Amino acid sequence: MSSNAMLQPEPAPIVACTISRDVQNFDLLIDDMESELGESWGDLSFEDAAAFLDQPEASQLEFVAIAIDDHDEERLADIGALIGIANAKEIDVILIAQEVSPIALHQLLRMGAGDFIPYPLPEGELHNAIDRLRKPKIPAQAEPEVPQEMRSTLKATGDRNGVVLPVHGISGGTGATTVAVNLAWELANIDKKNPPRVCLLDLDLQFGSVSTYLDLPRRDAVYELLSDTNSMDNESFMQALLTFNDKLHVLTAPADILPLDIVTAEDIDKLVETARTNFDYIVIDMPTTLVAWTESILHQAHVYFSTLELDMRSAQNALRMIRALKSEELPYEKLRYILNRAPKFTDLTGKGRVKRLAESLDIVIELQIPDGGKPVVQSGDHGLPLMETAAKNPMRKEIHKLAQSIHEVNQAAETGR
Ligand SMILES: Nc1ncnc2c1ncn2[C@@H]1O[C@H](COP(=O)(O)OP(=O)(O)O)[C@@H](O)[C@H]1O
Ligand SMILES: [Mg+2]
């Protein structure tokens, strides 16, 4: 009841409210609300919030900040109901969450929470969230029904021991996703008589564009799997996949942006392990950021492709990445460098620069992919791999050769056993 006292509309009109079990558990939020709004905000308990939001005055609120921690997960339905009331009154909802499971977070976002900030609040994040809600809105996209032809009907085998091939862009825009998507498609088509089982995991969980490049819907299946890896089995994993043109099986990134560290190394281990037992090749599109689970992927990887370009940005990032891996004693020797937008054969000064880049980083550049021009971008926009739209494109040719050599090496290893 004491909390209601703070809601008296004087002296300053109340434009926002925090809603929590006990706001004292979120003292950084109190500080940030004060610096953003001065005196013009109030604080409500969960119990009082519903009654307050039902009053006509509540419509004057610009937003509510619902702060929850893991203890509040049992009242998810009530919190969802509050979000519903707020939405109905066109009051924005910012979710502040401490140690809340990804599945709970995800449900709350689905129930209509417009924005999410982890707690402890990162510097300036409440300010940014308020800025965002003051901007004109783009309607949220509900998860679309998946068309029948995209549903994976492939049965789990559980008897494979797949080759794990991550692709990690040393800097953004260096073609990691394009390489991952096309490499996966080339592998899926490498042997018409005896096609290997290929799966593509989009683990660039925030900005993953595999779904764009293959024109598949983004799905939340990946978070559903990752938030409860204990109950993940071959069947639930297979059901989470979508199929591209009958041959390639894809785990697309979710529609909402959630923090990358919400997923643990153990979750990723289990995911990749499950993929390995059901597929011959597992191509993984990695986020550019190094995260807690990069290590799990490095350990599971047979080789770890890194895309870079011939510029200072890539050179410096590569150096930083190698140093970071070495200092953590991670298997940096698995890195295979792919130079994208490489200079043409005839460009002698360009070739000299490639040589100097490799020398200064003390790396071997295993593959050079030339600029494939507009057709590459168009093929991505059309949601098709290069093989389908521009089979003679120089970029496609290099990725095709890479797929061939991977398959040959793998087959030799299998028959050699
Ligand atoms: N070799 C290339 N030639 C022409 N365009 C390319 C090439 N590699 C990538 N692109 C284009 O560059 C953009 C960024 O590529 P993308 O694969 O999304 O990068 P990343 O995943 O590393 O951020 C895309 O529009 C893609 O079509
Ligand atoms: Mg990408």
Side-chain angles (χ1 to χ4, degrees):
M1 293 303 109
S2 63
S3 55
N4 259 341
M6 291 176 69
L7 289 169
Q8 297 309 316
E10 36 180 343
I14 300 293
V15 297
C17 271
T18 56
I19 302 176
S20 61
R21 208 169 67 245
D22 179 0
V23 76
Q24 299 304 332
N25 296 339
F26 298 93
D27 45 2
L28 292 174
L29 176 62
I30 302 181
D31 294 348
D32 281 8
M33 290 291 280
E34 262 163 22
S35 58
E36 291 303 316
L37 304 168
E39 297 278 292
S40 47
W41 63 281
D43 157 51
L44 292 166
S45 65
F46 288 122
E47 290 74 24
D48 296 341
F52 178 78
L53 289 177
D54 260 340
Q55 296 171 40
E57 303 89 284
S59 315
Q60 287 164 11
L61 291 183
E62 192 178 359
F63 70 91
V64 292
I66 303 186
I68 55 171
D69 60 23
D70 45 344
H71 298 294
D72 296 314
E73 282 190 35
E74 52 204 53
R75 56 169 106 206
L76 226 50
D78 297 342
I79 298 171
L82 285 178
I83 295 175
I85 303 174
N87 280 341
K89 296 217 155 186
E90 295 184 359
I91 304 168
D92 282 301
V93 178
I94 301 176
L95 202 62
I96 318 278
Q98 181 170 32
E99 289 174 13
V100 174
S101 74
I103 193 79
L105 254 187
H106 187 254
Q107 280 178 15
L108 293 172
L109 286 170
R110 272 276 168 263
M111 289 176 198
D115 210 332
F116 152 77
I117 318 176
Y119 190 89
L121 295 172
E123 184 80 43
E125 274 311 309
L126 184 68
H127 178 84
N128 294 342
I130 296 174
D131 264 1
R132 277 195 294 274
L133 64 87
R134 287 178 177 161
K135 292 218 176 84
K137 304 246 158 27
I138 306 166
Q141 286 177 356
E143 183 163 333
E145 259 301 291
V146 177
Q148 199 53 43
E149 70 273 16
M150 290 180 188
R151 288 181 197 275
S152 177
T153 50
L154 193 68
K155 294 276 175 297
T157 62
D159 66 351
R160 311 266 159 152
N161 184 14
V163 176
V164 178
L165 303 165
V167 186
H168 182 134
I170 292 272
S171 347
T174 53
T177 306
T178 311
V179 170
V181 164
N182 284 285
L183 177 61
W185 186 241
E186 296 290 340
L187 285 168
N189 287 282
I190 206 86
D191 184 346
K192 298 274 183 264
K193 282 205 195 99
N194 187 15
R197 285 165 68 112
V198 184
C199 117
L200 174 59
L201 307 179
D202 190 350
L203 294 188
D204 188 357
L205 297 172
Q206 294 188 322
F207 298 105
S209 37
V210 165
S211 52
T212 312
Y213 290 174
L214 291 175
D215 197 17
L216 294 171
R218 279 167 168 268
R219 290 178 91 196
D220 302 320
V222 56
Y223 270 120
E224 275 153 32
L225 283 180
L226 290 175
S227 59
D228 186 12
T229 42
N230 283 334
S231 56
M232 183 198 316
D233 58 15
N234 290 335
E235 264 67 41
S236 64
F237 172 74
M238 297 306 286
Q239 271 169 20
L241 303 177
L242 294 177
T243 304
F244 176 79
N245 285 6
D246 293 335
K247 280 190 208 137
L248 177 61
H249 301 273
V250 188
L251 188 66
T252 61
D256 297 314
I257 296 186
L258 289 175
L260 291 172
D261 56 7
I262 218 166
V263 166
T264 67
E266 292 76 37
D267 296 334
I268 292 289
D269 264 342
K270 177 88 188 274
L271 179 76
V272 176
E273 197 51 55
T274 312
R276 284 188 63 186
T277 57
N278 288 292
F279 287 92
D280 299 306
Y281 293 109
I282 299 95
V283 180
I284 306 179
D285 191 18
M286 291 291 287
T288 293
T289 344
L290 290 176
V291 284
W293 42 268
T294 312
E295 183 175 346
S296 331
I297 300 285
L298 257 168
H299 284 301
Q300 298 236 26
H302 291 70
V303 290
Y304 192 99
F305 293 111
S306 306
T307 58
L308 70 169
E309 286 185 36
L310 196 51
D311 55 22
M312 195 50 98
R313 190 173 72 114
S314 282
Q316 291 185 341
N317 283 355
L319 203 57
R320 276 200 288 267
M321 170 133 160
I322 296 165
R323 275 203 201 122
L325 298 186
K326 280 187 181 170
S327 72
E328 301 280 323
E329 294 182 17
L330 295 177
Y332 68 93
E333 68 284 353
K334 286 187 182 172
L335 264 55
R336 297 288 180 279
Y337 298 90
I338 300 182
L339 183 69
N340 195 3
R341 299 192 171 86
K344 291 205 181 73
F345 233 35
T346 49
D347 176 358
L348 293 181
T349 51
K351 283 170 78 178
R353 284 168 60 213
V354 175
K355 191 160 167 270
R356 283 197 298 281
L357 175 78
E359 279 169 2
S360 66
L361 294 174
D362 193 20
I363 60 171
V364 179
I365 290 173
E366 304 224 350
L367 181 69
Q368 299 196 26
I369 298 180
D371 196 313
K374 276 216 183 88
V376 175
V377 182
Q378 282 163 354
S379 142
D381 284 349
H382 288 146
L384 290 167
L386 284 167
M387 187 195 281
E388 307 306 311
T389 60
K392 295 213 163 67
N393 188 283
M395 179 176 204
R396 189 253 154 165
K397 284 188 185 161
E398 291 306 321
I399 301 179
H400 177 70
K401 278 192 254 173
L402 175 65
Q404 267 180 333
S405 83
I406 291 172
H407 192 57
E408 274 162 22
V409 169
N410 187 45
Q411 292 223 300
E414 281 200 338
T415 47
R417 240 183 256 144

